[in-house]
Amino acid sequence: MDANDVAQFLRSNPQFFDQHPQLLESIVVPHPHGGRAIPLTERQMVSLREKVRLLEVKLGELLRFGEDNDAIAEKVHRLSLALMGAKDFAASAHALTFHLREDLAVPHVALRIWGKTLPEGSLEGSPVDDGLRDRVETLGAPQCGAAAGSPFATLFGEAQEHIRSIALIPLG
């Protein structure tokens, strides 16, 4: 019989120490943080304290994630309200770029629209290469990736050299 067999026996027979309580009093295990021996119950307390400490760390991490998610949800809510309250295209485009930059910390935003009549001189209505338009129209879903080598980096004009990644969201 080896240690694994004993461990398996104790797992299979949880009532064993109820039937033999005198054994609990005589079992002495080494202290995890020193060489002296301690009673089994004290060793269990040390183990439970360590588990509690780890759970507190995990709980703190989950709370931080929750707070971060709440903050992001609030920012997206503000963006949604601004878009719904926009009176015209210019106000919508301004709300979108403003909230992406200021609230969501997206440093460079490029919005291009084709096939619609836009106000004269709007950046959003700037010409887009036919090849690029064809690629966007066949995407069908948002795309994310590195900007290096992406033909879509040209949409950012002079800021293109500062772009490291691109999130492209084609709207039908």
Side-chain angles (χ1 to χ4, degrees):
M1 180 179 267
D2 65 5
N4 288 332
D5 294 332
V6 173
Q8 181 59 42
F9 173 80
L10 292 174
R11 271 190 226 100
S12 300
N13 299 284
Q15 75 287 355
F16 177 79
F17 286 113
D18 291 337
Q19 297 166 353
H20 304 284
Q22 72 283 2
L23 288 176
L24 279 176
E25 297 167 8
S26 63
I27 294 176
V28 179
V29 294
H31 193 287
H33 305 295
R36 65 181 176 76
I38 59 172
L40 180 60
T41 53
E42 188 176 332
R43 176 63 174 95
Q44 287 173 323
M45 290 298 294
V46 168
S47 177
L48 288 174
R49 282 187 188 113
E50 180 63 20
K51 285 181 181 178
V52 166
R53 188 189 67 72
L54 290 173
L55 289 173
E56 285 174 341
V57 168
K58 284 283 189 192
L59 180 60
E61 191 176 279
L62 289 173
L63 287 172
R64 280 189 300 282
F65 290 152
E67 290 167 354
D68 290 349
N69 288 343
D70 283 347
I72 292 169
E74 175 62 29
K75 292 171 184 179
V76 170
H77 182 69
R78 282 196 299 264
L79 169 61
S80 299
L81 290 176
L83 289 173
M84 288 189 298
K87 303 291 184 213
D88 55 17
F89 172 77
S92 297
H94 174 73
L96 179 64
T97 56
F98 175 82
H99 285 280
L100 285 174
R101 285 185 182 135
E102 299 302 320
D103 266 353
L104 298 167
V106 178
H108 303 286
V109 177
L111 175 63
R112 296 295 180 271
I113 299 174
W114 52 85
K116 302 285 181 201
T117 304
L118 299 176
E120 185 67 33
S122 66
L123 179 62
E124 296 80 15
S126 299
V128 176
D129 176 77
D130 288 341
L132 222 56
R133 283 198 312 198
D134 291 342
R135 286 185 73 175
V136 169
E137 290 172 357
T138 60
L139 288 177
Q143 302 287 313
C144 299
S150 172
F152 301 110
T154 59
L155 295 174
F156 294 92
E158 293 177 6
Q160 140 179 6
E161 66 187 47
H162 303 291
I163 306 297
R164 297 291 172 253
S165 62
I166 294 176
L168 182 67
I169 305 169
L171 304 174

